[in-house]
Amino acid sequence: MKVKAAARYFSNRTVFYTVLALAFLLPFVFILTAVDTLEGVNDCSSSDCLGRRLGPRFLGRSGDDSAKLIKELYKILQQINSEEIPVGEKFPESFSEFLSDMKDKEYDAKTFAIRLKAMIENMDKEVKRSRLAEQLHKHFIATAIPKGIHCLTLRLTDEYSCNSQARKQLPAPELLSLLFDNSCHHFVLATDNILAASVVVTSVVRSSLNPGRVVFHVITDKKTYPGMHSWFALNPLSPAIIEVKGVHQFHWLRRESIPVLKAVTNYSGVRNHYHGNHIMGTNVSENPRVFASKLQARGPKYISLLNHMRIYLPEIFPYLNKVVFLDDDVVVQRDLSPLWLIDLSGKVNGAVETCKGEDTWVMAKSFRTYFNFSHPLIADKLDPDECAWAYGMNIFDLNAWRKTNIRETYLFWVQENLKSSVTLWKLGTLPPALIAFRGYVHPIDPSWHMLGLGYQEKTDIDSVRKAAVIHYNGQCKPWLEIGYKHLQPFWTRHVNYTNDFIRNCHILEPQ
């Protein structure tokens, strides 16, 4: 039935305008459907969803000609749902073009429905392409070093070379014995980000009920060591004790002396994975969240020796019994000394499990999330439904650890992943740790460690305020422009924006 014929067919002008109003609304319904599909709300095709949405709403009205016409249109939409769109044919790209085309060519109902379907499916693809491009741009921002942070490292490195105060021993000679004192609370942080390190250490000291018992061991790489040392020498957090060590100072822990870690950076497949074309193989139909997780897994930090430091804690600190290891993208909001009182029941790693919680995105991680269970080696050895746990804030019993083969298991699986051309898992250093620590993890209360602030924009603010440690894991770090503005203040409150080095590097407090 053609549009003009429809006008003659319905003597009631209201009925005709109802049909035109429907034609006006259809694209917007489709757009909403496309967005919902993109966000994972619907798993159905656009026209299918349209039928299911329009049917119940419009068919509820009966007894007039408009309801009959809607019913017919609904049937047509159902019929063309499975039909292929003609290849090579040009379709309208906007609603105004669609109206003009419809007016000029006087479509019958089926042609109208097919062209509408084609236009909306094209819109759906464009929206998905835009979202995938957004994730790619976020990835490039997240893996780059902001100018302000780079400037801070350079200025502090220069200060180290010309200012004796910046080179003073940390800690002072009379306090060295505290580095091995097991009555103190020892924290470990491995990072090359000076600004992030300052926030972690400051937040721990401010939150502590007894800062005089806090001992921080900051480990960094060779290039960042002078700047990191300068920062904490010039900005002491007395009475807490702070030690800064460079990886180059652990002579046994150099990449050359650890074949597996040397292979991680020399293996061509690894280089291509982390530094190659990140778009190749991407499908426009891919879920943007899945694409984002793949991009995050390809961040260069995952082949940094600093990222593997955790596995060597018993050797780095041979005289310590327990340590809390913190990532550089956390903020501590509560006194953590009770962690040392937790009975780990002979286990090694006190960690928050991530397979259960109110947030079904952040707290829904099982082994299936991290491993490739289509690979026979993984399928044979692991359970896809086994609960995962989080890095970022962990209490490690080093005495218990020394009695295990955790490190050997970890390095073995890293080697196996290299042999398998990096096909066993996709997400950084956590997967081999999930295997190595199997049977050695003691779950701790989730309130100790809240995750997802770097990728879950809808994070509950009240839960953030109550958490002992908040973790900005994900791409949207609080020191980046892409950080979520409503979550940044929990991090920025620990930055001293009046500090001369920070001001001179134009690191500004977000407005």
Side-chain angles (χ1 to χ4, degrees), residues 312-474:
Y312 293 99
L313 289 178
E315 290 77 25
I316 295 173
F317 304 104
Y319 302 108
L320 297 183
N321 298 334
K322 282 186 177 181
V323 299
V324 167
F325 194 101
L326 298 172
D327 279 1
D328 65 0
D329 52 357
V330 306
V331 172
V332 176
Q333 305 186 122
R334 205 164 75 210
D335 178 49
L336 298 185
S337 59
L339 287 173
W340 274 262
L341 302 177
I342 294 176
D343 181 5
L344 298 181
S345 303
K347 307 293 186 181
V348 173
N349 177 7
V352 167
E353 291 184 321
T354 54
C355 61
K356 47 196 171 187
E358 293 183 7
D359 191 323
T360 54
W361 182 15
V362 177
M363 301 299 285
K365 307 289 197 306
S366 64
F367 275 31
R368 191 191 311 277
T369 309
Y370 298 99
F371 295 100
N372 174 20
F373 277 89
S374 64
H375 195 288
L377 184 60
I378 294 296
D380 182 54
K381 299 290 186 181
L382 303 178
D383 175 6
D385 297 318
E386 187 169 339
C387 190
W389 47 268
Y391 265 155
M393 195 285 293
N394 306 82
I395 174 78
F396 290 112
D397 185 333
L398 301 186
N399 283 335
W401 190 337
R402 294 184 186 102
K403 300 173 185 176
T404 72
N405 62 346
I406 288 173
R407 178 167 60 88
E408 291 75 14
T409 303
Y410 179 95
L411 296 177
F412 169 81
W413 280 95
V414 170
Q415 185 70 54
E416 287 299 308
N417 199 28
L418 293 177
K419 289 179 183 178
S420 303
S421 302
V422 201
T423 57
L424 300 187
W425 60 74
K426 61 182 180 179
L427 287 179
T429 54
L430 180 58
L434 290 175
I435 300 175
F437 282 98
R438 288 181 83 195
Y440 297 110
V441 177
H442 178 81
I444 62 176
D445 192 279
S447 65
W448 282 112
H449 184 190
M450 182 175 185
L451 296 123
L453 277 70
Y455 66 91
Q456 174 56 290
E457 189 172 6
K458 297 177 181 178
T459 296
D460 180 67
I461 295 296
D462 287 335
S463 298
V464 172
R465 292 192 180 101
K466 295 174 184 176
V469 176
I470 54 175
H471 193 173
Y472 292 84
N473 56 311

Side-chain angles (χ1 to χ4, degrees), residues 24-174:
F24 180 82
L25 289 172
L26 281 173
F28 297 99
V29 175
F30 266 107
I31 291 170
L32 290 173
T33 304
V35 172
D36 283 349
T37 302
L38 185 64
E39 293 297 332
V41 175
N42 291 313
D43 294 325
C44 49
S45 67
S46 296
S47 55
D48 183 42
C49 289
L50 177 69
R52 289 190 347 220
R53 288 184 177 194
L54 289 181
R57 295 181 187 179
F58 287 105
L59 297 183
R61 296 180 57 194
S62 58
D64 58 20
D65 291 331
S66 63
K68 293 178 182 179
L69 186 61
I70 295 299
K71 191 172 183 178
E72 289 301 316
L73 181 57
Y74 176 69
K75 287 181 179 178
I76 293 170
L77 287 172
Q78 292 285 58
Q79 290 170 7
I80 63 100
N81 183 45
S82 59
E83 292 193 19
E84 294 292 329
I85 302 299
V87 178
E89 187 172 344
K90 180 176 173 56
F91 293 98
E93 295 183 0
S94 67
F95 181 65
S96 58
E97 283 185 30
F98 179 77
L99 282 181
S100 177
D101 198 36
M102 185 173 66
K103 178 181 177 182
D104 294 341
K105 298 181 180 178
E106 299 184 350
Y107 299 144
D108 59 27
K110 183 174 181 180
T111 305
F112 163 85
I114 289 175
R115 295 184 71 80
L116 183 62
K117 176 186 176 183
M119 186 180 78
I120 299 309
E121 287 187 354
N122 287 339
M123 286 182 180
D124 184 50
K125 289 178 182 177
E126 286 301 316
V127 171
K128 285 185 176 179
R129 284 193 190 99
S130 298
R131 291 297 300 274
L132 292 176
E134 176 191 359
Q135 295 300 337
L136 188 64
H137 296 153
K138 277 186 176 182
H139 171 68
F140 291 141
I141 293 172
T143 55
I145 301 174
K147 285 197 301 183
I149 290 178
H150 182 58
C151 164
L152 185 64
T153 302
L154 293 178
R155 284 181 176 269
L156 286 166
T157 299
D158 182 61
E159 194 72 13
Y160 185 84
S161 66
C162 62
N163 183 347
S164 60
Q165 281 298 106
R167 296 192 302 273
K168 71 181 181 181
Q169 184 174 344
L170 291 178
E174 63 272 17

